[in-house]
């Protein structure tokens, strides 16, 4: 089957089928322009593109797919050392910046099918060392997008709207290639402004928690999303307060999903599924999950995944690859989760920072954060374990809140959860440090 059937005319066309900022193209124009650039890069080992939120970036990515050349999206704000590492490590022979991505003339779209060859090489940062290259095969992309199309009832009748960066799975794979696989129209608003998102009048919206927080803070823009049929949040946990505000203003609860660069999106709340704050749903078609516990099966466990969306291994790093997979082929996500009787997953956090061993108990930071967020004065919360001579680790909460004392929040958690899960210390901060995708950077706390 064609990897991106919209570019073959399989789903019809329109002059503005793909709109990014102020630029709009039909599927046919996008296919012809990308195919023309593909002729210039055929045979390269890999090509890099400075992944700005522009039509040029989309054309460059599609040209690589058409030519069978892996594309390496480089964050436009990456520092010199990070950029140099990505270019050297990936073996990119060309850099398709905005000027290089433009080409005269047109060509016939070659209609590539999904194969096991890398279509993209994305870079992800680990806990130590420089970013690692993650080759993403066309078959994995197809499996992920087909699984999400099934879960979200995503069809050519949809109009997808988002403003996500085009160098991550969320914005590039789901937000661009997803539209070209399902045939839905795409509107990237360029900037993540609530008024622009509202004016786009989409049926399907993708955003990270930071953007949803901004939408919730702009009630008129939020109410304009009532016409949409599905609001999707991902890349980080959506705070319960934002979930509730979006539900109240738009008339529908958002759906959350889970994934990572190495696995693409593997777990999602279905369009017809039950939506609850913090719940990221069930595995999509072709994906299996399991929890591994050290001892107590009732505690959160280490989440492992296998299936058609999972990568084969890190680029040029066999040792890192071996550490990432179990002997029986499951990928160790490094995340801690719970799975309820209905198979619904909740991500507690990273094993390295969010699984706290205190007083002989294993406690998930996410569970305590959720409890804190049920207090009406709390807007944001992040929980860490700090070394403690008596407890091993003590629970410390960083909180953005108004008009409440530390003791009140500690008691609030103790009345919601077991007493040993209460914070031993509460530190009030003006805001939590987050990255571009809205993930809390706990190492900065």
């Amino acid at each position: 089957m064609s990897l991106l059937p919209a570019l073959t005319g399989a789903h019809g066309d329109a002059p503005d089928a793909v709109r990014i900022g102020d630029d709009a193209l039909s599927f046919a124009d996008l296919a012809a322009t990308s195919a023309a650039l593909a002729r210039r890069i055929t045979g390269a080992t890999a090509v890099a593109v400075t992944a700005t939120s522009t039509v040029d970036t989309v054309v460059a990515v599609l040209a690589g797919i058409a030519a069978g050349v892996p594309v390496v999206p480089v964050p436009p704000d990456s520092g010199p050392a990070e950029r140099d590492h990505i270019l050297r490590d990936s073996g990119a022979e060309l850099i398709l910046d905005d000027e290089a991505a433009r080409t005269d003339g047109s060509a016939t779209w070659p209609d590539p099918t999904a194969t096991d060859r890398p279509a993209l090489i994305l870079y992800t940062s680990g806990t130590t060392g420089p970013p690692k290259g993650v080759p993403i095969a066309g078959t994995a992309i197809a499996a992920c997008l087909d699984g999400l199309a099934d879960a979200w009832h995503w069809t050519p009748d949809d109009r997808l709207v988002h403003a996500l960066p085009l160098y991550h799975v969320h914005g590039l794979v789901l937000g661009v290639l997803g539209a070209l696989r399902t045939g839905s129209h795409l509107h990237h608003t360029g900037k993540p402004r609530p008024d622009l998102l509202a004016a786009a009048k989409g049926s399907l919206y993708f955003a990270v928690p930071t953007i949803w927080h901004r939408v919730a803070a702009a009630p008129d823009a939020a109410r304009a999303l009532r016409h949409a049929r599905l609001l999707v949040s991902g890349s980080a946990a959506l705070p319960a307060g934002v979930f509730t505000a979006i539900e109240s203003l738009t008339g529908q609860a958002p759906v959350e999903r889970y994934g990572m660069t190495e696995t693409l999106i593997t777990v999602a709340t279905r369009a017809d599924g039950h939506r609850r704050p913090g719940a990221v749903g069930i595995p999509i078609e072709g994906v299996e999950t399991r929890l591994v516990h050290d001892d107590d099966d009732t505690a959160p466990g280490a989440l492992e995944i296998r299936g058609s969306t999972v990568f084969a291994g890190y680029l040029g790093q066999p040792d890192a690859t071996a550490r990432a997979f179990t002997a029986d082929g499951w990928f160790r996500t490094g995340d801690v989760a719970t799975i309820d009787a209905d198979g619904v997953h909740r991500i507690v956090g990273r094993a390295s920072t969010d699984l706290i061993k205190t007083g002989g108990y294993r406690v998930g930071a996410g569970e305590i954060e959720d409890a804190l967020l049920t207090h009406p004065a709390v807007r944001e919360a992040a929980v860490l374990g700090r070394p403690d001579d008596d407890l091993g680790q003590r629970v410390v909460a960083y909180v953005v809140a108004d008009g409440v004392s530390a003791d009140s929040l500690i008691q609030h958690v103790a009345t919601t959860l077991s007493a040993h899960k209460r914070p031993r210390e509460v530190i009030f901060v003006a805001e939590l440090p987050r990255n571009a995708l809205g993930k809390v950077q706990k190492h900065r706390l």
Side-chain angles (χ1 to χ4, degrees), residues 31 35 38 65-67 108-113:
I65 291 174
T108 301
W109 178 253
D111 193 21
T113 58

Side-chain angles (χ1 to χ4, degrees), residues 85 89 130-133 313-323:
H85 167 74
D89 187 72
K132 297 189 288 290
Y314 294 107
L315 183 67
Q317 297 200 39
D319 291 343
T321 298
R323 292 192 296 270

Side-chain angles (χ1 to χ4, degrees), residues 401-421:
D402 295 315
V404 65
S405 68
D407 286 344
S408 294
L409 292 181
I410 291 170
Q411 291 305 312
H412 176 74
V413 173
T415 57
T416 305
L417 303 176
S418 301
H420 66 267
K421 297 179 180 179

Side-chain angles (χ1 to χ4, degrees), residues 286-306:
V287 170
E288 297 176 273
T289 64
R290 72 180 183 186
L291 298 183
V292 177
H293 301 86
D294 288 342
D295 39 38
D296 181 4
D297 285 353
T298 64
L303 179 63
E304 296 180 351
I305 291 174
R306 69 178 179 187

Side-chain angles (χ1 to χ4, degrees), residues 284-372:
I284 65 171
E285 184 70 25
V287 170
E288 297 176 273
T289 64
R290 72 180 183 186
L291 298 183
V292 177
H293 301 86
D294 288 342
D295 39 38
D296 181 4
D297 285 353
T298 64
L303 179 63
E304 296 180 351
I305 291 174
R306 69 178 179 187
S308 53
T309 69
V310 180
F311 81 140
Y314 294 107
L315 183 67
Q317 297 200 39
D319 291 343
T321 298
R323 292 192 296 270
F325 286 88
T326 66
D328 54 348
W330 291 77
F331 176 70
R332 297 182 171 105
T333 67
D335 286 320
V336 179
T338 62
I339 303 176
D340 69 16
D342 295 324
V344 175
H345 293 52
R346 286 179 176 271
I347 306 301
V348 175
R350 297 294 292 172
S352 57
T353 57
D354 295 318
L355 187 60
I356 303 168
K357 298 181 180 180
T358 179
Y361 296 97
R362 289 160 51 90
V363 176
E367 185 179 20
I368 305 170
E369 290 162 358
D370 288 345
L372 285 164

Side-chain angles (χ1 to χ4, degrees), residues 144 147-148 151-152 174 232-233 255-259 265-271 273-274 279-285 343-345:
C144 172
L148 292 176
W152 294 338
L174 274 63
V232 180
S233 183
V255 300
E256 298 185 64
R257 88 302 183 278
Y258 167 79
I265 307 307
T266 54
V267 177
T269 300
R270 297 183 61 87
H274 188 58
V280 295
I282 61 176
I284 65 171
E285 184 70 25
V344 175
H345 293 52

